[in-house]
């Protein structure tokens, strides 16, 4: 039972490069989320999805794009990486229906932009 | 003003001590309150969840919600070195899809 799996775990990019972070969940959850975690800032929501084919902006969406083509996968894209996007990125998922259900998190992707 | 405020610490206590962790919030519509524990280089994991006001106990952990004061607490009794982690509070409204997190409090329990 893998839960939420994030790929890759570490990555170093140069300014201006692009990349895609992959989040996969095997719990058949409807809702998926992308956060970034920075020292002193806590977890900030980038984008989220309430189902296959749907996405919505969170608190800090600028510079990121997302896609939810399959229910189990949620992709986060950086088109032109900037040093300000150096962070730890967490994906989370939760089921639909019961509003008390919490989020299940992956172990993060550590991204450095030089 | 951030929706959720949490003292980042760090907090250092001796083994066996009672630990009190707190968050305040500004949105009176928050109904669901959670505490997550995050070990170094890991994702947050749910520790406690409460709905509306009141207390909830699970082993050595007790969560309290005081909606009138917009204040939530997590108490850890008989703290252990394995409790050393960052503790994040989180909350949401009943109809919303977004969760709002505190910045986290770093806790170290010294053997």
């Amino acid at each position: 039972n893998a839960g939420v799996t994030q790929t890759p775990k570490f990555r170093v990019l140069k300014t201006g490069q692009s990349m895609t972070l992959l989040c996969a969940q095997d719990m058949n959850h409807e809702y998926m989320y992308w956060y970034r975690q920075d020292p002193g800032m806590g977890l900030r929501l980038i984008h989220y999805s309430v189902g296959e084919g749907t996405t919505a902006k969170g608190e800090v969406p600028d510079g990121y794009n997302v896609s939810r083509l399959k229910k189990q996968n949620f992709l986060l894209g950086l088109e032109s990486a900037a040093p300000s996007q150096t962070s730890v990125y967490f994906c989370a998922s939760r089921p639909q229906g019961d509003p008390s259900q919490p989020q299940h998190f992956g172990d993060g992707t550590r991204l450095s932009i030089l | 003003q951030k929706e959720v405020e949490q003292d980042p610490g760090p907090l250092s206590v001796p083994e066996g001590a009672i630990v009190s962790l707190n968050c305040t919030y500004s949105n009176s519509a928050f109904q669901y309150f959670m505490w997550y524990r995050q070990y170094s280089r890991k994702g947050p994991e749910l520790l406690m969840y409460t709905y509306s006001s009141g207390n909830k106990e699970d082993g050595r952990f007790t969560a309290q919600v005081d909606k009138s004061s917009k204040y939530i607490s997590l108490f850890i009794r008989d703290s252990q070195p394995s409790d050393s982690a960052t503790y994040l509070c989180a909350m949401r409204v009943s109809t919303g899809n977004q969760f709002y997190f505190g910045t986290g409090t770093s806790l170290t329990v010294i053997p």
Side-chain angles (χ1 to χ4, degrees):
Chain A
N1 186 8
V4 178
T5 303
Q6 293 184 233
T7 309
K9 297 189 186 311
F10 305 94
R11 185 75 183 266
V12 178
L13 289 179
K14 294 181 179 178
T15 298
Q17 288 184 319
S18 64
M19 79 161 296
T20 300
L21 281 63
L22 171 64
C23 177
Q25 52 96 3
D26 62 2
M27 297 173 283
N28 201 36
H29 287 172
E30 288 289 338
Y31 298 155
M32 297 187 74
Y33 304 78
W34 274 108
Y35 293 89
R36 59 178 290 173
Q37 187 174 40
D38 303 290
M41 302 295 289
L43 282 163
R44 292 184 292 168
L45 182 64
I46 304 171
H47 286 279
Y48 65 99
S49 168
V50 299
E52 183 178 319
T54 72
T55 63
K57 293 180 179 180
E59 181 186 355
V60 288
D62 294 342
Y64 304 95
N65 56 76
V66 288
S67 65
R68 183 95 181 271
L69 298 179
K70 293 182 178 181
K71 185 178 182 179
Q72 64 266 34
N73 295 337
F74 195 27
L75 278 62
L76 178 70
L78 287 72
E79 290 187 348
S80 180
S84 61
Q85 294 177 305
T86 293
S87 187
V88 182
Y89 292 85
F90 286 99
C91 176
S93 71
R94 74 178 184 93
Q96 189 183 27
D98 184 352
S100 69
Q101 285 295 317
Q103 298 174 314
H104 299 259
F105 284 85
D107 281 338
T109 294
R110 284 156 182 79
L111 185 60
S112 292
I113 316 295
L114 303 178
Chain B
Q1 181 188 6
K2 286 176 65 70
E3 298 233 34
V4 181
E5 300 280 357
Q6 184 176 8
D7 186 339
L11 188 60
S12 183
V13 301
E15 183 175 353
I18 296 174
V19 176
S20 172
L21 304 168
N22 311 293
C23 288
T24 60
Y25 61 94
S26 57
N27 188 347
S28 58
F30 286 143
Q31 292 278 9
Y32 295 93
F33 303 91
M34 288 138 280
W35 286 95
Y36 285 84
R37 178 175 61 195
Q38 184 177 21
Y39 290 115
S40 179
R41 298 191 171 273
K42 290 290 188 180
E45 56 178 341
L46 182 70
L47 196 59
M48 296 285 287
Y49 146 78
T50 53
Y51 171 71
S52 195
S53 286
N55 295 357
K56 186 173 184 178
E57 187 173 322
D58 184 2
R60 297 184 294 110
F61 299 91
T62 300
Q64 289 185 350
V65 175
D66 182 349
K67 292 194 71 179
S68 63
S69 301
K70 298 191 181 70
Y71 188 88
I72 69 170
S73 301
L74 177 71
F75 297 95
I76 306 174
R77 292 184 299 279
D78 188 24
S79 56
Q80 303 295 309
S82 59
D83 295 328
S84 298
T86 295
Y87 290 80
L88 301 156
C89 63
M91 46 199 80
R92 61 179 285 251
V93 301
S94 60
T95 56
N97 294 314
Q98 297 189 38
F99 291 71
Y100 296 87
F101 285 82
T103 54
T105 299
S106 176
L107 171 67
T108 300
V109 180
I110 303 168

